[in-house]
Amino acid sequence: MKRGSRKRQGEVVWLAEARRAGQGRLRRRRGKGPSFAMLVIGGMLIGAGLGWFGPDVARRFSAWDVPGPVVRDTLSARFGLCHSGGGTNCVVDGDTFWFQGERVRVMDIDAPETHPPRCAEEAALGERATLRLQALMNAGPFSLESGDRDMDRYGRALRVVTRDGESIGEMLVAEGLAREWEGARRPWC
């Protein structure tokens, strides 16, 4: 049998038949490559893919079943109240507490002032926020995470307080006892 032909159940494949018929070998037409429009569409698709799979891809998939490091909350204490400041393991107000001799400001929230409050509504909400922060801090082990700044102008350590990967500050915001930190305090009255 000649090169380029095959027998298939007693039949000669079309290549051999084409040669006998004088047509020669059939060739695939080669184009000049992808068109400009195809290159533009491909570039847009790649760009969209890179935009979606950018540097924060781990955050997008964190809720999915992607293996990763398990965060274990290792800090705990029994928190009392210390409205006048200075103490060990106590809550000052809705966004400040003392832990192991260090004054800590919950950096991702702004809670109502309690000393001195500017109006009766702020005083009441501030008291509720203080008691709720105390309850959340006493609810079990937690973690303190640093952010872009380590200390505020009052010498307090700025930390995001988390339990099981969830922000305790965000819990207070969701309950209406604080608001997200916007870079400056705003009045509550």
Side-chain angles (χ1 to χ4, degrees), residues 27-110:
R27 293 190 176 126
R28 185 187 316 171
R29 283 180 54 191
R30 293 185 181 228
K32 296 180 182 178
S35 69
F36 179 74
M38 292 301 289
L39 289 173
V40 169
I41 291 171
M44 290 171 56
L45 291 172
I46 289 171
L50 289 175
W52 198 78
F53 290 103
D56 59 343
V57 68
R59 184 170 45 103
R60 287 197 180 96
F61 290 108
S62 65
W64 295 7
D65 195 27
V66 176
V70 176
V71 177
R72 301 212 192 287
D73 299 321
T74 59
L75 305 174
S76 68
R78 189 73 191 151
F79 288 86
L81 295 174
C82 54
H83 295 290
S84 59
T88 302
N89 303 335
C90 59
V91 174
V92 176
D93 59 22
D95 58 18
T96 306
F97 61 92
W98 285 84
F99 178 64
Q100 296 179 344
E102 182 177 38
R103 192 168 47 155
V104 178
R105 165 80 160 76
V106 182
M107 75 180 302
D108 56 346
I109 64 168
D110 178 29

